[in-house]
Structure formats: C-alpha cells, structure tokens
Amino acid sequence: MGGQTSGGAGAAGTRSIVIDEPFAPAANWSLETDDAFVLTKAGCLETLVRYETSGAIKPMLATSWTQTTPTTWDIKLRRGVTFQDGTPLDAKAVVGALKRALAAKTPAPGFSPKTIGKVTAVGGSTVRMTTPGPDALLPYRLASPNTGILAPKAYSGTSTNPKGTCTGPFRITKEIPQQAIQLKRNSAYWGGLVKLASAEVRFIADAAKRATQVQTGEAQISRKLSVPSVQDLKGNGTVTVRTEQLPRTTELVLNNKKAPFSNEKVRQAFRAAIDTKAITSAVYQGAGRPAVGPFAPGEPWTPEGAAPVKADPAKAKALLTEAGVAPSSIKVQLIAYNEGPGFSDLAAVIQQELKAIGVKATIRTGDYASVEPDLLSGGFQAALLSRNHLGDMPDPAGYLTADYTCEGNYNLSHYCDPKTDALIQKAAATKDAKARYADYAKVAARLQADAVDVFLTHETESVAVASGVKGFAVHPYYTLTADLTRNTK
C-alpha cells in the first residue's frame, strides 16, 4: 500500500471479476451484524486496523495506536483519506461511526459499551478511546469489520447505506437485494492502484451452484465449497481449489438452561455418544479434524495435550443412568440451518448415534434467519453451529466473551460460571500474549470438562479459483482487494 497513484482507471485496465459468496446481507447493512463482513469481503468497507492471517495487526485507516494509560488509547488516523463521496476521513467522522456502533440495539460482541467507554476526537486526526477497565486488546477490536468506518451520510435514522460511503478500493454501484452487489473501482483509493475495473459479488446459498458457476466460467471465485463440490472439481484444469484451515469449529450447542441439558451428566452422555472421528471422515470426507474443544490443535490458545473425546455408547448410557434419566424419556429437537456446511448430513448422523443409546432426536431445518430468533431467545434444546473464534475480533477474547460469559450477547448455550467470566476478563487485560493465551487454554479446558457444548469438527474452507486469477488469498475478512486481478486469454 502506498499513496494515491496517478494511473487511476487507465493504468489499471478494464478487467472484471465475479465472486460467489454463500451468505447474503440480512440486516440492511447494519455494521454491528455479519453484513459488515459482506462489505469488507466486497472491498468496500475498511477498518482502522487490518488483520493478517498470521495473527498480526497492521495499520489500515489508522497509522498507529498507543495505550497512554491502562484504560486509554490514542488512535492516529491516516491523513489524506477520503470517503467515496469525497468527504474527508477525519476524527469527527470516525468518532461518529464508532459511536453509532456502540449505540446499536445489539452491539457487536467485541465492540460494545461493555468493552468501550468513551470515544472522542482530539484534534482532526486523533481518536481517543477509554475502556471500562484495563484492556490490552483494543487494537484487535478495531480490526473487526463490525468497527468499519463509513461516511457520515451513510447513517440516516436507523438505516445504513454503504453505497458511495466506504473508503475501500471498490464502491457499490448497484444492489440487487438478496442476489448480488455490483461494484466499480475507487479511482481515488488512498491505497494506490486498484487493478480490477469492476466486480460483482453474488449471494448463492447452494454450494453446488457456486461450484458450477466457476466450472462454466460464470464466476471466477467461489467461496465455502461443500465437500462433494470439491470432489467434483478435482481434475478440472481451469479451476484450482484452495483449502485452508480455519479458526472455526462446528459444534452441537446445548441449551444448558433447558432440560435435559441443565444436567451436566446428560451433556456428557451426548458427547460420549457422538463419534467425532467418524463424522469428520464420513460427513466431511477428511476436510477437517475431529475437535479437541473450541480451539484446534496447533493454535497457541489450545490446551496442551488436548485430544478428541472418544465415542463410547456404553459410557453414554451409564452417564444417563447416573443422571437418573431414562434414555427413552429424552425427546430432543436438533436444529440444523441450511447454510451450515454439511449440516443436513451431520444432523442425520447424530440422530442415528443418539438412537443407538435410546434417545429420540428430531431434526428441524430452515434458513439461519428463520431459526436465529429461537437460538437467541433460548427457545431450543440443541443446534448445530459453525462458529469462528476469531470472527468477532482477531483474538479469542471476543468469541469467549460473547459465547461463554454470563452476559454474553451470543451465549446460545446459556452457560454462566463466574470463575470463567473472571478468567476471560483477566485475559483481555493481559498485555503479554503468552500469558493471555494460557488463560484462554484454561477456559477451553473448563468448557470441555463441563461438556458445555459438544465440539465436533475443526473446519477448513475450500475456495474454487479460476485460472488467470492473481492476487487472491483465503482470508476471513477480505476477498476483493486492490491487488486482485484476472488474466483473460
């Protein structure tokens, strides 16, 4: 990245690209929701800090950040940046955007009034943030797409309009609701030359259709392929499939506040009944690893020596006996939302494994949007969930706070343990990464010991990329970038 180049559109060429994504925006572009991730992946929305897949954070719209006291940070903004409507990116605009994020009805887990106190402008190019308590992770919070910065005119009443109000290399020119957004290069991009002239991001829930579009040349990048789609693409000389390990785990969420899962022995019995090794082999055909907990082997915050729980139906039955619960008395509805990777097959396998210990499970399917109200309200018993533990922010503190603290706003398990809360809070205040990661490992071990949820598979992501596409890297936040280009022979 450098200063603005003079080449603009003429020096960059006229090539275009089509990218297929599985999830459409679902909240009218509200940045406290996953719609923010749609916008960063589309090369429109940018944040103050950039997240690298190595775990590092680097300058983006901010050039530096300094913790002046345990509860105060000063953020220096990049000079000379303009929004796509021509207005300047200054401290006042940034403060307005961040205050908007904090005032949301349901703020993002990593950036909420629980983690951020005041946001004020200090002159034209410095933003000062205070935190309720010592927080070593504020820069990581500012890398989350949920803290993306839009121009002041993007916000009108309760609506958000990203069209022409981003700072990124691409600007939205047309939206086809629930189907696609069309974009053109931002010729005034602060980061320099944008190589592609235009792009289209399509929202296609059907993984097979996404794969087909790359095969036929209708699209050049297709994200989150299903295992069968990956197999279909093998041997195709015009398409490359890139598979990367993700900081994402598929889990069976158990409602700890609702019978029968308010009983720890019952939760442990369900865990013993489910064969994660067989699931990874049969459902995901090896595209993933049996889960050892919320975090995968090799991650710095995974407990040392963590291993998958071995399936043991006899032990599962014994645990139900210890709980004083007859297997035939348990009637469980298992939610499997359609967008989940392999969830229909996964739910069917779990249903059969539970049947083997005498437990009857029924399966409820539907789009995620249709089941989310029950998940958030606690009106469910068990549900499959694919969860990225670096999605809320590029540090596990965001995920752990949201999912496993008493007041966590995505605590679907309804798990509440004051000791766990204190450990997570302590970790977030710890500057030393090694010490912080050790605390995360303790939390992970506690979640496994209490069988809060059944962690099933550590996921990979497979992306189909057409030949001729250059400058693409698998990343949880960014897909369409200034460096992306395409040869058309």
Side-chain angles (χ1 to χ4, degrees):
M1 297 290 188
Q4 174 62 30
T5 64
S6 60
T14 59
R15 294 183 177 91
S16 185
I17 201 168
V18 175
I19 299 170
D20 285 354
E21 290 276 358
F23 296 107
N28 295 317
W29 300 119
S30 295
L31 298 190
E32 69 273 14
T33 71
D34 285 347
D35 286 10
F37 290 78
V38 176
L39 288 174
T40 57
K41 289 172 184 174
C44 182
L45 182 69
E46 293 185 316
T47 51
L48 296 175
V49 178
R50 177 182 174 87
Y51 165 53
E52 302 291 332
T53 52
S54 64
I57 52 174
K58 293 186 176 181
M60 200 171 202
L61 295 179
T63 56
S64 66
W65 40 89
T66 305
Q67 189 172 19
T68 57
T69 75
T71 59
T72 306
W73 287 82
D74 280 354
I75 315 298
K76 297 289 186 182
L77 302 181
R78 188 178 298 277
R79 294 180 181 272
V81 179
T82 59
F83 293 103
Q84 292 166 0
D85 64 0
T87 58
L89 176 107
D90 57 18
K92 182 179 179 181
V94 171
V95 168
L98 294 178
K99 283 185 174 180
R100 174 91 175 194
L102 293 172
K105 183 177 180 181
T106 306
F111 194 83
S112 74
K114 292 181 181 179
T115 56
I116 305 297
K118 292 182 179 180
V119 182
T120 57
V122 181
S125 59
T126 298
V127 174
R128 180 165 294 163
M129 300 188 195
T130 62
T131 56
D135 188 350
L137 300 177
L138 183 62
Y140 291 86
R141 301 184 191 283
L142 297 177
S144 167
N146 298 125
T147 64
I149 308 300
L150 295 175
K153 81 171 188 180
Y155 310 107
S156 175
T158 58
S159 65
T160 303
N161 184 6
K163 191 174 181 180
T165 59
C166 294
T167 59
F170 290 88
R171 57 184 178 86
I172 297 173
T173 57
K174 183 178 181 180
E175 178 182 359
I176 305 171
Q178 300 302 301
Q179 296 182 51
I181 52 175
Q182 296 172 358
L183 307 103
K184 289 186 178 180
R185 77 160 60 95
N186 174 11
S187 58
Y189 182 48
W190 64 266
L193 184 69
V194 182
K195 295 179 179 178
L196 288 169
S198 61
E200 181 174 71
V201 178
R202 297 175 181 169
F203 308 116
I204 300 173
D206 187 332
K209 184 175 181 180
R210 294 198 303 275
T212 298
Q213 288 206 343
V214 177
Q215 285 180 303
T216 60
E218 294 178 74
Q220 287 70 53
I221 297 175
S222 178
R223 293 187 62 253
K224 289 191 177 294
L225 299 179
S226 64
V227 172
S229 295
V230 171
Q231 300 302 318
D232 290 343
L233 290 171
K234 282 186 175 179
N236 188 314
T238 63
V239 179
T240 299
V241 176
R242 303 184 189 180
T243 300
E244 301 283 346
Q245 189 69 44
L246 294 177
R248 180 180 284 276
T249 300
T250 295
E251 58 194 72
L252 179 63
V253 176
L254 305 177
N255 189 337
N256 288 209
K257 286 288 183 70
K258 195 164 188 169
F261 301 118
S262 53
N263 189 318
E264 182 180 326
K265 295 292 185 182
V266 174
R267 300 198 302 269
Q268 291 173 338
F270 269 59
R271 185 177 63 187
I274 296 172
D275 190 338
T276 58
K277 185 176 181 180
I279 283 171
T280 303
S281 176
V283 177
Y284 296 101
Q285 298 179 34
R289 292 179 285 177
V292 302
F295 308 133
E299 294 189 275
W301 34 72
T302 301
E304 186 176 350
V309 176
K310 292 183 179 180
D312 189 339
K315 181 179 180 180
K317 292 178 182 179
L319 284 164
L320 290 178
T321 299
E322 287 181 41
V325 178
S328 60
S329 70
I330 301 177
K331 304 289 189 297
V332 174
Q333 184 187 73
L334 171 58
I335 294 177
Y337 55 89
N338 296 336
E339 299 93 335
F343 276 13
S344 58
D345 293 337
L346 179 55
V349 171
I350 292 174
Q351 183 183 48
Q352 291 304 308
E353 292 179 332
L354 294 176
K355 184 179 179 181
I357 65 168
V359 171
K360 182 178 180 180
T362 58
I363 299 171
R364 172 188 168 189
T365 61
D367 293 342
Y368 179 78
S370 71
V371 303
E372 185 181 54
D374 282 344
L375 296 181
L376 295 176
S377 68
F380 78 103
Q381 292 171 297
L384 291 172
L385 182 71
S386 172
R387 191 74 166 101
N388 186 333
H389 50 265
L390 299 182
D392 296 322
M393 58 185 279
D395 182 278
Y399 157 74
L400 292 174
T401 300
D403 290 34
Y404 294 111
T405 60
C406 296
E407 300 298 324
N409 63 2
Y410 202 66
N411 186 353
L412 305 186
S413 310
H414 293 271
Y415 170 75
C416 181
D417 174 52
K419 291 182 179 178
T420 300
D421 280 22
L423 196 53
I424 295 171
Q425 185 176 9
K426 172 177 173 283
T430 302
K431 287 185 178 181
D432 181 73
K434 187 175 181 179
R436 188 166 71 246
Y437 297 165
D439 284 338
Y440 296 151
K442 291 176 184 176
V443 174
R446 187 186 296 270
L447 296 176
Q448 270 290 68
D450 293 347
V452 175
D453 294 318
V454 181
F455 299 103
L456 301 171
T457 302
H458 300 305
E459 299 177 32
T460 59
E461 178 176 341
S462 293
V463 182
V465 183
S467 58
V469 174
K470 307 293 183 184
F472 170 74
V474 179
H475 194 289
Y477 294 173
Y478 322 116
T479 300
L480 183 58
T481 65
D483 294 329
L484 192 65
T485 189
R486 174 190 175 203
N487 295 332
T488 52
K489 296 183 179 179

